[in-house]
Amino acid sequence: MATRALRLRGLLRAAGCRPFSAQPSPLQTEQHGTKRLEPSSAKTLVDIGTRRIFSSDHDIFRESARKFFQEEVLPFHAEWEKDGQVSRELWEKAGQQGLLGVAIAEKHGGIGADILSSAIVWEEQMYVNCTGPGFSLHSDIVMPYIANYGSEEQIKHFIPQMVAGKCIGAIAMTEPGAGSDLQGIRTYAKKDGSDWILNGSKVFITNGWMSDVVIVVAVTDREARSPAHGISLFLVENGTKGFIKGRKLNKIGLKAQDTAELFFEDVRLPASALLGKENKGFYYLMAELPQERLLIADMALAGCEFMFEETRNYVKQRKAFGKTIAHLQTVQHKLAEIKTQICVARAFMDNCLQLHADKRLDSATASMAKYWCSDLQNSVATQCVQMHGGWGYMWEYPIAKAFVDARVQPIYGGTNEIMKELIARDIVSDK
């Protein structure tokens, strides 16, 4: 932790950031201790210096991330929503700030911090209600595949550029006829000498339009004893002949996030494009999906925390019947219910984050977190819009954007119905 902390502090100094106060409070200097307040007792659910899983070094990093999202993302997000994508300049700024590849090992060219530091970036993005930047997928879904299964050449070629924000990553799993069922994919890569010929299509690919490199999931052995035994992963770079990006998809939410169709028409790939071992792709996916689901869960819960604070502020200002609606008992009780639900979920979520930091998070527990927190996000969104009244239905109000952005969370990363299947399978198994 000491080396990682020094690395983070160096990044913060380079970025011109400072701690919250010249004299850190005992709360801030406590390292993973019990003196830190939990969100239920803090002034707001987004206070810095709370939650026992974090340390004072994490707090300093969080201040840096919060400043970045407030100054470099929030003021421009409405324009990016119209464009259907964020700017490339933003990606490079995030790289300069040390916000990409945070948990990737230094030996691979990453920042070398822990997964809790990555979680800070996820949460701070949700605290400004800006879902456009696909940083989390790039840093904590795509990059780990390369770092964990890539060759030395692949790691050297991609990771430093991805950390710098000069190479944007995406992963192409979903197809028009295969979503949560990864064993149903049809994209096929056929051997041709030492090369591979890739054909197929993918859909709903986050970062797809702006991507410079895409991890493509493809069938490589149609005769395998089961589909899981015949899937491989390939690194396909933008500009490769036959790799075609379709339209940016017009979604009901996540308006600033570039989501695209991708097509592969006789794409010739060298042997060096294979990521990891041939026909081992499904096992790599199963190993990495718990982190993806943890990421979705934590961002969903951070979205709940944002919506609660946004609604709390609104009802304390909005007047009806001669007084603010915060004076109405029905509103007070609803806020009490929502805060309790969020704080209960946060306790479980932070436990999952700590388990993952200790490399002890299993698939069933990650599935619980993803299903529970994304369902809660949609419940909180509905209730918070209701407390905003008609204004909550207006696009210029943050709660309206949070409402539509929440809807996809129970769908991607494996639908919540699939999450329940995974949880149930673990319950009834005799193993």
Side-chain angles (χ1 to χ4, degrees), residues 51 53 116 119 122-123 293-302 305 342-355 361 366 369-370 373:
R51 297 163 58 189
I53 64 170
L116 299 180
W122 310 338
E123 292 166 7
R293 287 160 184 165
L294 182 76
L295 179 160
I296 294 170
D298 194 33
M299 294 185 80
L301 190 53
E305 290 161 341
I342 291 172
C343 289
V344 169
R346 175 50 72 193
F348 178 64
M349 186 67 243
D350 280 4
N351 183 58
C352 289
L353 287 169
Q354 189 61 63
L355 284 171
L361 181 70
K370 194 269 180 182
C373 292

Side-chain angles (χ1 to χ4, degrees), residues 81 126 128-130 252 302-315 335 338 342 376-407:
E81 287 173 349
M126 297 305 290
V128 292
N129 199 35
C130 295
I252 65 170
C304 292
E305 290 161 341
F306 165 80
M307 289 186 286
F308 174 82
E309 296 300 339
E310 187 73 16
T311 304
R312 190 222 304 247
N313 292 336
Y314 178 81
V315 300
L335 289 171
I338 292 172
I342 291 172
L376 179 63
Q377 183 183 13
N378 279 271
S379 172
V380 169
T382 298
Q383 294 175 82
C384 288
V385 166
Q386 188 71 20
M387 282 187 278
H388 276 72
W391 295 112
Y393 201 64
M394 298 296 105
W395 188 249
E396 63 265 29
Y397 274 71
I399 198 65
K401 296 180 183 181
F403 176 81
V404 294
D405 288 350
R407 188 59 192 88

Side-chain angles (χ1 to χ4, degrees), residues 1 9 15 59 62 71 90 98 104-105 139 148 177 185 203 226 282 313 342 361 381 423:
M1 179 66 191
R9 286 181 184 277
D59 296 341
R62 186 181 289 277
E71 296 181 0
L90 175 70
I104 300 298
S139 294
N148 293 338
I185 66 169
V203 72
S226 76
F282 187 79
N313 292 336
I342 291 172
L361 181 70
I423 298 163

Side-chain angles (χ1 to χ4, degrees), residues 220 228-233 276-285:
T220 44
H229 290 87
I231 290 174
S232 301
L233 307 182
K277 296 182 179 178
E278 182 179 340
N279 297 326
K280 294 295 183 182
F282 187 79
Y283 301 99
Y284 299 152
L285 293 169

